Amino acid sequence: MRVIRAAEAPRFQLPGIEFTVLAAPSLGSAGLCTWRLTVDPGVRGDAPHTLDRDEIFTVLSGTVQVTPDGDKLEAGDAVIVAAGEPISLTNLGSGPAELQVAITAGFTGTMADGTTVQPPWAQ
């Protein structure tokens, strides 16, 4: 068993978004990745991407939209984004939003420009 302390968890930054990694292959989880997202107010996902695996988002606080035409989600809500469905995260609230994300390890993302990636928070 391996414990990942929140204060010591790896963190990655994109403009307005912080990824706090809680499980990934590099942390000893061969089959599952999970991370906490902190999304600043005003973040708007304008360039959707897709993944080759289903991804689950659970809203811990705040109000967000996860897919371009998706429902407004609030604390306690979850959404399963099927593999291949566009993902575009928008913070609809006036304060930060926090989400927990889970996905099968080894996934590949395809960005809006067609580039494929395996993000560092999932390795």
Short mmCIF file of all heavy atoms in Angstrom, two decimals, residues 11-67:
data_model
loop_
_atom_site.label_atom_id
_atom_site.label_comp_id
_atom_site.label_asym_id
_atom_site.label_seq_id
_atom_site.Cartn_x
_atom_site.Cartn_y
_atom_site.Cartn_z
N ARG A 11 2.15 18.21 -8.50
CA ARG A 11 1.23 19.22 -9.02
C ARG A 11 1.71 19.68 -10.40
O ARG A 11 2.91 19.83 -10.62
CB ARG A 11 1.15 20.42 -8.08
CG ARG A 11 0.37 20.10 -6.82
CD ARG A 11 0.33 21.29 -5.86
NE ARG A 11 -0.67 21.15 -4.84
CZ ARG A 11 -0.67 20.27 -3.86
NH1 ARG A 11 0.31 19.39 -3.76
NH2 ARG A 11 -1.64 20.22 -2.97
N PHE A 12 0.75 19.91 -11.27
CA PHE A 12 1.04 20.40 -12.61
C PHE A 12 0.10 21.56 -12.89
O PHE A 12 -1.04 21.56 -12.44
CB PHE A 12 0.82 19.29 -13.66
CG PHE A 12 1.75 18.13 -13.48
CD1 PHE A 12 1.40 17.05 -12.67
CD2 PHE A 12 2.99 18.11 -14.09
CE1 PHE A 12 2.25 15.98 -12.48
CE2 PHE A 12 3.86 17.05 -13.91
CZ PHE A 12 3.49 15.98 -13.11
N GLN A 13 0.59 22.53 -13.63
CA GLN A 13 -0.16 23.76 -13.90
C GLN A 13 -0.41 23.93 -15.40
O GLN A 13 0.48 23.70 -16.21
CB GLN A 13 0.63 24.98 -13.42
CG GLN A 13 1.03 24.97 -11.98
CD GLN A 13 -0.11 25.34 -11.06
OE1 GLN A 13 -0.98 26.11 -11.42
NE2 GLN A 13 -0.09 24.80 -9.86
N LEU A 14 -1.62 24.30 -15.72
CA LEU A 14 -1.97 24.85 -17.02
C LEU A 14 -2.56 26.22 -16.71
O LEU A 14 -2.94 26.47 -15.55
CB LEU A 14 -3.00 23.98 -17.74
CG LEU A 14 -2.51 22.64 -18.26
CD1 LEU A 14 -3.67 21.86 -18.90
CD2 LEU A 14 -1.38 22.80 -19.26
N PRO A 15 -2.69 27.11 -17.66
CA PRO A 15 -3.26 28.42 -17.34
C PRO A 15 -4.62 28.30 -16.65
O PRO A 15 -5.57 27.78 -17.22
CB PRO A 15 -3.37 29.11 -18.70
CG PRO A 15 -2.30 28.47 -19.52
CD PRO A 15 -2.28 27.03 -19.07
N GLY A 16 -4.68 28.72 -15.39
CA GLY A 16 -5.91 28.72 -14.62
C GLY A 16 -6.36 27.40 -14.05
O GLY A 16 -7.42 27.31 -13.44
N ILE A 17 -5.56 26.34 -14.23
CA ILE A 17 -5.93 25.01 -13.74
C ILE A 17 -4.73 24.37 -13.06
O ILE A 17 -3.62 24.38 -13.61
CB ILE A 17 -6.41 24.10 -14.89
CG1 ILE A 17 -7.61 24.72 -15.60
CG2 ILE A 17 -6.76 22.71 -14.36
CD1 ILE A 17 -8.08 23.95 -16.81
N GLU A 18 -4.96 23.79 -11.88
CA GLU A 18 -3.92 23.02 -11.20
C GLU A 18 -4.38 21.58 -11.07
O GLU A 18 -5.51 21.30 -10.68
CB GLU A 18 -3.63 23.59 -9.81
CG GLU A 18 -2.55 22.80 -9.10
CD GLU A 18 -2.19 23.37 -7.74
OE1 GLU A 18 -3.03 23.24 -6.82
OE2 GLU A 18 -1.10 23.94 -7.62
N PHE A 19 -3.48 20.64 -11.40
CA PHE A 19 -3.71 19.21 -11.28
C PHE A 19 -2.92 18.72 -10.07
O PHE A 19 -1.69 18.88 -10.03
CB PHE A 19 -3.18 18.47 -12.52
CG PHE A 19 -3.87 18.84 -13.80
CD1 PHE A 19 -3.62 20.06 -14.42
CD2 PHE A 19 -4.76 17.96 -14.40
CE1 PHE A 19 -4.24 20.40 -15.61
CE2 PHE A 19 -5.39 18.29 -15.59
CZ PHE A 19 -5.13 19.51 -16.19
N THR A 20 -3.58 18.13 -9.09
CA THR A 20 -2.92 17.52 -7.94
C THR A 20 -3.09 16.02 -8.09
O THR A 20 -4.20 15.49 -7.96
CB THR A 20 -3.54 18.01 -6.62
OG1 THR A 20 -3.45 19.44 -6.56
CG2 THR A 20 -2.81 17.41 -5.43
N VAL A 21 -2.00 15.32 -8.39
CA VAL A 21 -2.04 13.90 -8.72
C VAL A 21 -2.11 13.05 -7.45
O VAL A 21 -1.27 13.18 -6.57
CB VAL A 21 -0.81 13.50 -9.56
CG1 VAL A 21 -0.90 12.04 -9.96
CG2 VAL A 21 -0.68 14.39 -10.78
N LEU A 22 -3.11 12.18 -7.40
CA LEU A 22 -3.29 11.32 -6.24
C LEU A 22 -3.06 9.85 -6.56
O LEU A 22 -2.77 9.06 -5.66
CB LEU A 22 -4.69 11.54 -5.65
CG LEU A 22 -4.92 13.00 -5.22
CD1 LEU A 22 -6.38 13.23 -4.90
CD2 LEU A 22 -4.03 13.34 -4.04
N ALA A 23 -3.18 9.46 -7.82
CA ALA A 23 -2.87 8.09 -8.24
C ALA A 23 -2.51 8.11 -9.71
O ALA A 23 -3.16 8.77 -10.51
CB ALA A 23 -4.05 7.15 -7.99
N ALA A 24 -1.45 7.40 -10.05
CA ALA A 24 -0.97 7.27 -11.43
C ALA A 24 0.09 6.17 -11.41
O ALA A 24 0.58 5.79 -10.35
CB ALA A 24 -0.36 8.58 -11.92
N PRO A 25 0.46 5.65 -12.58
CA PRO A 25 1.50 4.62 -12.59
C PRO A 25 2.78 5.04 -11.87
O PRO A 25 3.38 4.23 -11.15
CB PRO A 25 1.74 4.38 -14.09
CG PRO A 25 0.38 4.65 -14.69
CD PRO A 25 -0.14 5.83 -13.90
N SER A 26 3.19 6.30 -12.00
CA SER A 26 4.41 6.77 -11.33
C SER A 26 4.28 6.78 -9.81
O SER A 26 5.28 6.84 -9.10
CB SER A 26 4.78 8.18 -11.83
OG SER A 26 3.75 9.09 -11.50
N LEU A 27 3.05 6.70 -9.31
CA LEU A 27 2.80 6.70 -7.87
C LEU A 27 2.40 5.31 -7.37
O LEU A 27 1.99 5.16 -6.23
CB LEU A 27 1.72 7.72 -7.51
CG LEU A 27 2.06 9.17 -7.82
CD1 LEU A 27 0.86 10.07 -7.59
CD2 LEU A 27 3.25 9.62 -7.00
N GLY A 28 2.49 4.31 -8.25
CA GLY A 28 2.23 2.93 -7.84
C GLY A 28 0.89 2.36 -8.25
O GLY A 28 0.57 1.23 -7.89
N SER A 29 0.09 3.09 -9.00
CA SER A 29 -1.21 2.59 -9.44
C SER A 29 -1.12 2.18 -10.91
O SER A 29 -1.08 3.03 -11.80
CB SER A 29 -2.27 3.67 -9.28
OG SER A 29 -3.51 3.21 -9.79
N ALA A 30 -1.08 0.89 -11.16
CA ALA A 30 -0.91 0.40 -12.52
C ALA A 30 -2.15 0.59 -13.39
O ALA A 30 -2.03 0.76 -14.59
CB ALA A 30 -0.53 -1.08 -12.49
N GLY A 31 -3.35 0.60 -12.78
CA GLY A 31 -4.55 0.58 -13.59
C GLY A 31 -5.42 1.81 -13.55
O GLY A 31 -6.31 1.95 -14.37
N LEU A 32 -5.18 2.72 -12.60
CA LEU A 32 -6.09 3.85 -12.45
C LEU A 32 -5.32 5.14 -12.19
O LEU A 32 -4.33 5.14 -11.47
CB LEU A 32 -7.05 3.60 -11.27
CG LEU A 32 -8.11 4.65 -10.99
CD1 LEU A 32 -9.10 4.73 -12.15
CD2 LEU A 32 -8.84 4.34 -9.70
N CYS A 33 -5.81 6.22 -12.78
CA CYS A 33 -5.29 7.56 -12.50
C CYS A 33 -6.41 8.37 -11.87
O CYS A 33 -7.56 8.27 -12.28
CB CYS A 33 -4.86 8.27 -13.79
SG CYS A 33 -3.48 7.51 -14.64
N THR A 34 -6.06 9.18 -10.88
CA THR A 34 -7.02 10.12 -10.32
C THR A 34 -6.27 11.36 -9.87
O THR A 34 -5.13 11.29 -9.44
CB THR A 34 -7.85 9.50 -9.18
OG1 THR A 34 -8.86 10.42 -8.77
CG2 THR A 34 -7.01 9.09 -8.00
N TRP A 35 -6.91 12.50 -10.05
CA TRP A 35 -6.31 13.77 -9.65
C TRP A 35 -7.41 14.74 -9.26
O TRP A 35 -8.57 14.56 -9.61
CB TRP A 35 -5.43 14.37 -10.74
CG TRP A 35 -6.08 14.52 -12.08
CD1 TRP A 35 -6.86 15.55 -12.52
CD2 TRP A 35 -6.03 13.60 -13.16
NE1 TRP A 35 -7.28 15.34 -13.80
CE2 TRP A 35 -6.79 14.14 -14.22
CE3 TRP A 35 -5.41 12.37 -13.35
CZ2 TRP A 35 -6.95 13.49 -15.44
CZ3 TRP A 35 -5.57 11.73 -14.56
CH2 TRP A 35 -6.32 12.29 -15.59
N ARG A 36 -7.03 15.75 -8.50
CA ARG A 36 -7.94 16.83 -8.14
C ARG A 36 -7.61 18.02 -9.03
O ARG A 36 -6.45 18.39 -9.19
CB ARG A 36 -7.79 17.20 -6.67
CG ARG A 36 -8.82 18.24 -6.21
CD ARG A 36 -8.79 18.52 -4.72
NE ARG A 36 -7.45 18.73 -4.22
CZ ARG A 36 -6.83 17.93 -3.35
NH1 ARG A 36 -7.41 16.85 -2.89
NH2 ARG A 36 -5.60 18.20 -2.94
N LEU A 37 -8.64 18.60 -9.62
CA LEU A 37 -8.48 19.81 -10.43
C LEU A 37 -8.95 21.00 -9.62
O LEU A 37 -10.02 20.95 -9.01
CB LEU A 37 -9.36 19.75 -11.69
CG LEU A 37 -8.97 18.81 -12.80
CD1 LEU A 37 -10.01 18.90 -13.92
CD2 LEU A 37 -7.61 19.15 -13.34
N THR A 38 -8.18 22.06 -9.62
CA THR A 38 -8.61 23.34 -9.09
C THR A 38 -8.66 24.29 -10.28
O THR A 38 -7.65 24.48 -10.96
CB THR A 38 -7.66 23.86 -8.00
OG1 THR A 38 -7.57 22.87 -6.97
CG2 THR A 38 -8.16 25.16 -7.42
N VAL A 39 -9.85 24.82 -10.54
CA VAL A 39 -10.08 25.63 -11.74
C VAL A 39 -10.41 27.05 -11.32
O VAL A 39 -11.38 27.30 -10.61
CB VAL A 39 -11.23 25.04 -12.58
CG1 VAL A 39 -11.38 25.81 -13.89
CG2 VAL A 39 -11.00 23.56 -12.84
N ASP A 40 -9.59 28.00 -11.75
CA ASP A 40 -9.79 29.41 -11.41
C ASP A 40 -11.07 29.95 -12.04
O ASP A 40 -11.48 29.49 -13.12
CB ASP A 40 -8.62 30.25 -11.90
CG ASP A 40 -7.33 30.01 -11.14
OD1 ASP A 40 -7.38 29.42 -10.03
OD2 ASP A 40 -6.27 30.42 -11.66
N PRO A 41 -11.68 30.96 -11.39
CA PRO A 41 -12.83 31.61 -12.01
C PRO A 41 -12.43 32.22 -13.35
O PRO A 41 -11.30 32.66 -13.52
CB PRO A 41 -13.23 32.70 -11.01
CG PRO A 41 -12.24 32.68 -9.91
CD PRO A 41 -11.30 31.55 -10.13
N GLY A 42 -13.34 32.19 -14.29
CA GLY A 42 -13.06 32.77 -15.61
C GLY A 42 -12.43 31.81 -16.59
O GLY A 42 -12.32 32.13 -17.77
N VAL A 43 -12.00 30.62 -16.14
CA VAL A 43 -11.41 29.65 -17.07
C VAL A 43 -12.51 29.14 -17.99
O VAL A 43 -13.58 28.73 -17.54
CB VAL A 43 -10.75 28.47 -16.32
CG1 VAL A 43 -10.43 27.32 -17.26
CG2 VAL A 43 -9.49 28.95 -15.63
N ARG A 44 -12.23 29.22 -19.28
CA ARG A 44 -13.20 28.78 -20.28
C ARG A 44 -12.48 27.88 -21.27
O ARG A 44 -11.52 28.30 -21.91
CB ARG A 44 -13.79 29.99 -21.00
CG ARG A 44 -14.77 29.63 -22.06
CD ARG A 44 -15.66 30.81 -22.44
NE ARG A 44 -16.70 30.37 -23.32
CZ ARG A 44 -17.81 29.75 -22.95
NH1 ARG A 44 -18.00 29.48 -21.69
NH2 ARG A 44 -18.71 29.38 -23.83
N GLY A 45 -12.94 26.66 -21.39
CA GLY A 45 -12.33 25.71 -22.31
C GLY A 45 -12.81 25.94 -23.72
O GLY A 45 -13.92 25.54 -24.09
N ASP A 46 -12.00 26.60 -24.52
CA ASP A 46 -12.41 26.94 -25.89
C ASP A 46 -11.94 25.94 -26.93
O ASP A 46 -12.41 25.97 -28.06
CB ASP A 46 -11.89 28.34 -26.24
CG ASP A 46 -12.56 29.42 -25.42
OD1 ASP A 46 -13.75 29.26 -25.10
OD2 ASP A 46 -11.89 30.41 -25.08
N ALA A 47 -10.99 25.07 -26.59
CA ALA A 47 -10.44 24.12 -27.55
C ALA A 47 -10.64 22.70 -27.01
O ALA A 47 -9.79 22.16 -26.32
CB ALA A 47 -8.95 24.40 -27.79
N PRO A 48 -11.78 22.07 -27.31
CA PRO A 48 -12.07 20.74 -26.78
C PRO A 48 -11.03 19.71 -27.21
O PRO A 48 -10.43 19.81 -28.28
CB PRO A 48 -13.43 20.38 -27.37
CG PRO A 48 -14.02 21.66 -27.84
CD PRO A 48 -12.87 22.56 -28.16
N HIS A 49 -10.83 18.73 -26.32
CA HIS A 49 -9.98 17.59 -26.64
C HIS A 49 -10.78 16.33 -26.40
O HIS A 49 -11.88 16.38 -25.84
CB HIS A 49 -8.69 17.61 -25.79
CG HIS A 49 -8.94 17.46 -24.33
ND1 HIS A 49 -9.35 18.52 -23.53
CD2 HIS A 49 -8.85 16.39 -23.50
CE1 HIS A 49 -9.49 18.11 -22.28
NE2 HIS A 49 -9.21 16.81 -22.23
N THR A 50 -10.27 15.19 -26.84
CA THR A 50 -10.92 13.91 -26.62
C THR A 50 -9.93 12.94 -25.99
O THR A 50 -8.71 13.14 -26.09
CB THR A 50 -11.47 13.30 -27.92
OG1 THR A 50 -10.38 13.09 -28.83
CG2 THR A 50 -12.52 14.20 -28.57
N LEU A 51 -10.46 11.91 -25.37
CA LEU A 51 -9.64 10.85 -24.79
C LEU A 51 -10.09 9.51 -25.34
O LEU A 51 -11.24 9.36 -25.77
CB LEU A 51 -9.76 10.86 -23.26
CG LEU A 51 -9.36 12.17 -22.59
CD1 LEU A 51 -9.62 12.09 -21.09
CD2 LEU A 51 -7.90 12.50 -22.86
N ASP A 52 -9.20 8.53 -25.31
CA ASP A 52 -9.55 7.21 -25.83
C ASP A 52 -10.13 6.28 -24.75
O ASP A 52 -10.32 5.09 -24.99
CB ASP A 52 -8.35 6.56 -26.51
CG ASP A 52 -7.20 6.28 -25.58
OD1 ASP A 52 -7.21 6.74 -24.41
OD2 ASP A 52 -6.25 5.58 -26.00
N ARG A 53 -10.41 6.81 -23.58
CA ARG A 53 -11.02 6.06 -22.47
C ARG A 53 -12.10 6.93 -21.84
O ARG A 53 -12.06 8.16 -21.93
CB ARG A 53 -9.99 5.71 -21.39
CG ARG A 53 -8.67 5.15 -21.86
CD ARG A 53 -8.72 3.64 -22.02
NE ARG A 53 -7.51 3.13 -22.65
CZ ARG A 53 -6.42 2.73 -22.01
NH1 ARG A 53 -6.36 2.81 -20.69
NH2 ARG A 53 -5.38 2.27 -22.66
N ASP A 54 -13.05 6.30 -21.16
CA ASP A 54 -14.04 7.05 -20.40
C ASP A 54 -13.34 7.79 -19.26
O ASP A 54 -12.39 7.26 -18.66
CB ASP A 54 -15.09 6.12 -19.78
CG ASP A 54 -15.93 5.40 -20.82
OD1 ASP A 54 -15.85 5.72 -22.02
OD2 ASP A 54 -16.68 4.49 -20.41
N GLU A 55 -13.82 9.00 -18.95
CA GLU A 55 -13.27 9.80 -17.86
C GLU A 55 -14.43 10.26 -16.97
O GLU A 55 -15.47 10.67 -17.49
CB GLU A 55 -12.50 11.00 -18.42
CG GLU A 55 -11.75 11.79 -17.38
CD GLU A 55 -10.85 12.85 -17.98
OE1 GLU A 55 -11.19 13.40 -19.06
OE2 GLU A 55 -9.81 13.15 -17.38
N ILE A 56 -14.23 10.20 -15.67
CA ILE A 56 -15.28 10.57 -14.72
C ILE A 56 -14.84 11.81 -13.95
O ILE A 56 -13.74 11.85 -13.39
CB ILE A 56 -15.56 9.42 -13.73
CG1 ILE A 56 -15.98 8.17 -14.50
CG2 ILE A 56 -16.63 9.83 -12.71
CD1 ILE A 56 -15.96 6.91 -13.67
N PHE A 57 -15.72 12.81 -13.93
CA PHE A 57 -15.50 14.05 -13.19
C PHE A 57 -16.53 14.13 -12.08
O PHE A 57 -17.74 13.99 -12.34
CB PHE A 57 -15.69 15.27 -14.11
CG PHE A 57 -14.70 15.39 -15.21
CD1 PHE A 57 -14.84 14.67 -16.38
CD2 PHE A 57 -13.63 16.27 -15.09
CE1 PHE A 57 -13.93 14.80 -17.42
CE2 PHE A 57 -12.71 16.41 -16.12
CZ PHE A 57 -12.86 15.68 -17.29
N THR A 58 -16.08 14.38 -10.85
CA THR A 58 -16.97 14.62 -9.72
C THR A 58 -16.68 16.02 -9.20
O THR A 58 -15.53 16.34 -8.88
CB THR A 58 -16.73 13.59 -8.59
OG1 THR A 58 -16.92 12.27 -9.12
CG2 THR A 58 -17.69 13.81 -7.44
N VAL A 59 -17.71 16.84 -9.13
CA VAL A 59 -17.55 18.22 -8.67
C VAL A 59 -17.54 18.23 -7.14
O VAL A 59 -18.49 17.76 -6.51
CB VAL A 59 -18.67 19.14 -9.22
CG1 VAL A 59 -18.45 20.58 -8.76
CG2 VAL A 59 -18.74 19.05 -10.74
N LEU A 60 -16.46 18.75 -6.58
CA LEU A 60 -16.34 18.87 -5.12
C LEU A 60 -16.84 20.22 -4.63
O LEU A 60 -17.45 20.32 -3.57
CB LEU A 60 -14.89 18.66 -4.70
CG LEU A 60 -14.24 17.35 -5.14
CD1 LEU A 60 -12.77 17.32 -4.77
CD2 LEU A 60 -14.98 16.16 -4.55
N SER A 61 -16.58 21.26 -5.41
CA SER A 61 -17.06 22.61 -5.08
C SER A 61 -17.10 23.44 -6.35
O SER A 61 -16.38 23.17 -7.31
CB SER A 61 -16.17 23.29 -4.03
OG SER A 61 -14.88 23.53 -4.55
N GLY A 62 -17.97 24.45 -6.34
CA GLY A 62 -18.09 25.33 -7.49
C GLY A 62 -19.12 24.85 -8.49
O GLY A 62 -19.88 23.91 -8.23
N THR A 63 -19.12 25.51 -9.65
CA THR A 63 -20.08 25.23 -10.72
C THR A 63 -19.31 25.18 -12.04
O THR A 63 -18.59 26.13 -12.36
CB THR A 63 -21.15 26.33 -10.79
OG1 THR A 63 -21.75 26.46 -9.50
CG2 THR A 63 -22.22 26.00 -11.81
N VAL A 64 -19.43 24.08 -12.77
CA VAL A 64 -18.65 23.90 -13.99
C VAL A 64 -19.51 23.30 -15.11
O VAL A 64 -20.59 22.77 -14.87
CB VAL A 64 -17.43 22.97 -13.76
CG1 VAL A 64 -16.47 23.56 -12.76
CG2 VAL A 64 -17.87 21.59 -13.34
N GLN A 65 -18.95 23.37 -16.30
CA GLN A 65 -19.45 22.67 -17.47
C GLN A 65 -18.26 21.89 -18.01
O GLN A 65 -17.19 22.46 -18.22
CB GLN A 65 -19.97 23.66 -18.50
CG GLN A 65 -20.58 23.05 -19.72
CD GLN A 65 -21.10 24.11 -20.67
OE1 GLN A 65 -20.52 25.20 -20.77
NE2 GLN A 65 -22.17 23.81 -21.37
N VAL A 66 -18.41 20.59 -18.23
CA VAL A 66 -17.27 19.75 -18.61
C VAL A 66 -17.18 19.51 -20.11
O VAL A 66 -16.09 19.39 -20.65
CB VAL A 66 -17.33 18.40 -17.84
CG1 VAL A 66 -16.25 17.45 -18.31
CG2 VAL A 66 -17.19 18.65 -16.34
N THR A 67 -18.32 19.46 -20.79
CA THR A 67 -18.30 19.27 -22.24
C THR A 67 -18.88 20.53 -22.91
O THR A 67 -19.62 21.27 -22.27
CB THR A 67 -19.10 18.02 -22.65
OG1 THR A 67 -20.43 18.15 -22.20
CG2 THR A 67 -18.47 16.76 -22.07
#
